[in-house]
Amino acid sequence: MFYQTGYRLIFGLDTLRQDYILGLIAIAALCLMLSPIVAYDNRCRIGYVFYTTKAGRKTYYRHNCIIAILLAIVVSLGVNIPYFVQILSAYGTDGITSGVNCISDMFALGELPIWGYLVILLTYRTVVLILFSLLLLWISSKCQSPTTAMVVTLALFCLPIVIYLAGADAAKYLCVPMSGNREVRGMAG
């Protein structure tokens, strides 16, 4: 037996609101950092210099992808780790080595330890943010203005989360699947 309130909060068993708040912070940060990158180069016509050779084009995209991936990893760790530490320090870590199935709502996940589920959750959120950051680069490459790129990405990806947080439950299906809790429990049954 251990106090489960902290784990219920981290796993979004009572409400996914905190998952989406963390997702909104991460997505907004990536939109503001990555959206203008290629759009600025398009506006200044810097891309034409890079595109003069095939190697230049590959290097340009490879460097932008590496920057996007690294930023996504940093943002994911910067948003999720402090949240996990805050909750676990407030509620304690008793039972962290126990199976996640000892929490009644998580029974379908089996004998996976709670710390293992936290690692899976962090990994899932990081992978989603990496894919999201690459999508942002693609959107940025289609825009000619950094301002347009930021407005488009913020409207496409942050607005549905804000609408969901304002109370429209149906908007969660338009959100980037950042929760992890909803998706993993959905796969488990």
Side-chain angles (χ1 to χ4, degrees):
M1 294 296 291
F2 56 88
Y3 192 52
Q4 296 182 7
T5 304
Y7 296 123
R8 293 185 67 81
L9 189 59
I10 288 176
F11 300 154
L13 295 174
D14 298 324
T15 178
L16 293 173
R17 184 172 183 76
Q18 192 62 39
D19 288 353
Y20 282 103
I21 290 172
L22 293 174
L24 179 63
I25 293 167
I27 289 169
L30 285 175
C31 285
L32 294 174
M33 288 188 283
L34 290 174
S35 295
I37 288 181
V38 182
Y40 179 78
D41 292 347
N42 288 343
R43 186 181 77 187
C44 295
R45 308 264 189 231
I46 294 172
Y48 293 117
V49 175
F50 295 124
Y51 297 156
T52 56
T53 66
K54 189 175 184 178
R57 184 180 5 227
K58 282 184 182 177
T59 303
Y60 177 71
Y61 284 123
R62 188 178 321 124
H63 286 205
N64 283 334
C65 288
I66 290 170
I67 289 170
I69 290 169
L70 290 176
L71 280 174
I73 291 170
V74 167
V75 167
S76 178
L77 294 176
V79 168
N80 290 300
I81 295 293
Y83 176 68
F84 291 165
V85 169
Q86 175 193 8
I87 296 298
L88 293 176
S89 65
Y91 292 99
T93 58
D94 292 342
I96 200 155
T97 57
S98 300
V100 76
N101 62 349
C102 64
I103 300 171
S104 61
D105 296 322
M106 308 275 292
F107 186 75
L109 294 175
E111 289 294 323
L112 177 70
I114 290 176
W115 67 265
Y117 183 75
L118 288 174
V119 169
I120 289 171
L121 188 62
L122 180 63
T123 303
Y124 173 85
R125 289 177 179 177
T126 303
V127 168
V128 167
L129 281 179
I130 288 171
L131 295 173
F132 177 72
S133 66
L134 295 174
L135 176 64
L136 285 177
L137 279 182
W138 180 79
I139 291 171
S140 179
S141 71
K142 301 301 178 192
C143 295
Q144 293 297 321
S145 166
T147 306
T148 304
M150 280 197 297
V151 168
V152 166
T153 57
L154 287 171
L156 279 175
F157 303 112
C158 291
L159 193 58
I161 297 173
V162 170
I163 292 170
Y164 169 74
L165 291 173
D169 261 3
K172 72 180 169 190
Y173 298 107
L174 301 174
C175 298
V176 176
M178 264 304 296
S179 168
N181 288 314
R182 180 178 65 137
E183 292 80 12
V184 170
R185 283 198 315 265
M187 288 187 289

